[in-house]
Amino acid sequence: MEQTPKLRFDKVDMVFFRPNQPPVQVLKSISFDVGAGEFVCLLGPSGCGKSTILNIAAGLIRPSAGTVTAGSRLVTGPGWDRGVVFQEYALFPWLTVRENVVLGAKSGAGKVDHVRFDHFLGVTTGMYAHKDKLPKELSGGMKQRAAIARTLANDPEIILMDEPFGALDPYTREALQDQLVEIWSASRKTIMFVTHSVEEAAYLAGVVILLKAHPGELKAVIRNETRWPRERASEELIGIERAIRRVERT
């Protein structure tokens, strides 16, 4: 029996309407599946609708046409089954790291499990030593670790990440990529990750969904079967990068 995908986009269009200006079609007939436990990267040029796809999956905006399902449920708004990590860290500046991480649970109906939250701050993201600091006292990489800990601590089935490492220096970016891979390997959460970087997509993803712009349409689905642990400079991974770039040029 075929397993229900964790996310399914079915003929999704997105048109933005503006006062006294022509409407802008951002997405056109987008259809793809994300399987349970898959790490999928959305890759494409600026303006191809990658972040729009992620926001639709998160339930933050509704598509103009088509449907999105998470498991067997139609996505009509945000849900606890989907956690979002934004490029901008979205931490409240007046709260400590630990208070920011716990905040999501406090806004729900369940009891806060402080032991579990401390686990995600400590073992999973290495932020326990910084739990009492304010965001202004943290580096960019630390802020993003705190944002990831907050998302993970709510135990979503699907993690949606919108260029979370785009603003970081190359060294910190690679370190957080490796940490994210460790988290994914241990949890086998379903991850959909937006990026502009071919190298990042080739390193992280099991599936690369390549988009073309104006309007955003599905160009190709490229499967990356490179085994873990992956070496960034390996011939196998460089071959995946070349394959992606060949499709980009067509």
Side-chain angles (χ1 to χ4, degrees):
M1 186 175 178
E2 187 177 350
Q3 189 177 19
T4 302
K6 275 294 182 183
L7 274 175
R8 169 165 284 172
F9 278 70
D10 186 14
K11 298 178 182 177
V12 169
D13 290 354
M14 189 70 220
V15 179
F16 289 117
F17 295 91
R18 304 170 296 170
N20 304 316
Q21 295 187 58
V24 176
Q25 184 162 15
V26 178
L27 299 175
K28 181 179 179 182
S29 194
I30 295 291
S31 296
F32 64 86
D33 290 349
V34 178
E38 282 191 325
F39 198 129
V40 173
C41 278
L42 299 178
L43 178 67
S46 295
C48 71
K50 299 184 298 296
S51 293
T52 301
I53 288 173
L54 191 116
N55 287 332
I56 292 172
L60 300 176
I61 56 176
R62 298 283 294 274
S64 303
T67 60
V68 180
T69 51
S72 59
R73 300 175 299 275
L74 185 68
V75 173
T76 58
W80 290 100
D81 58 326
R82 285 154 286 135
V84 186
V85 179
F86 299 99
Q87 182 174 3
E88 299 299 328
Y89 316 112
L91 300 174
F92 290 100
W94 59 89
L95 298 179
T96 66
V97 166
R98 194 171 190 277
E99 289 168 340
N100 267 287
V101 170
V102 172
L103 183 65
K106 283 185 175 179
S107 65
K111 182 181 178 181
V112 175
D113 185 343
H114 291 282
V115 173
R116 183 164 64 88
F117 277 66
D118 286 347
H119 169 79
F120 283 107
L121 275 171
V123 176
T124 308
T125 59
M127 285 296 294
Y128 189 78
H130 308 283
K131 63 184 175 64
D132 296 321
K133 291 182 179 179
L134 295 171
K136 67 180 181 180
E137 301 175 86
L138 305 176
S139 67
M142 288 179 179
K143 290 176 184 176
Q144 199 56 283
R145 283 187 175 95
I148 292 170
R150 180 178 56 194
T151 298
L152 291 172
N154 285 299
D155 197 27
E157 297 174 21
I158 301 164
I159 300 173
L160 306 168
M161 310 186 81
D162 191 4
E163 293 193 78
F165 309 144
L168 303 175
D169 65 87
Y171 178 83
T172 303
R173 184 172 185 156
E174 289 189 3
L176 284 184
Q177 287 171 356
D178 290 341
Q179 190 168 42
L180 179 60
V181 167
E182 290 177 7
I183 292 168
W184 171 75
S185 298
S187 68
R188 287 297 170 176
K189 297 287 187 183
T190 301
I191 297 179
M192 190 162 72
F193 185 106
V194 168
T195 181
H196 280 97
S197 167
V198 171
E199 292 81 6
E200 186 167 61
Y203 181 68
L204 291 175
V207 178
V208 178
I209 294 176
L210 191 60
L211 300 163
K212 56 183 179 180
H214 311 305
E217 294 183 82
L218 184 65
K219 187 168 190 176
V221 176
I222 301 169
R223 297 203 168 268
N224 180 3
E225 297 180 353
T226 308
R227 292 186 178 182
W228 291 102
R230 293 175 178 175
E231 295 292 335
R232 287 181 172 83
S234 70
E235 284 298 321
E236 196 171 10
L237 216 58
I238 291 172
I240 294 293
E241 293 174 15
R242 287 173 178 162
I244 294 170
R245 293 188 192 281
R246 279 196 300 270
V247 176
E248 277 186 322
R249 289 193 295 267
T250 60

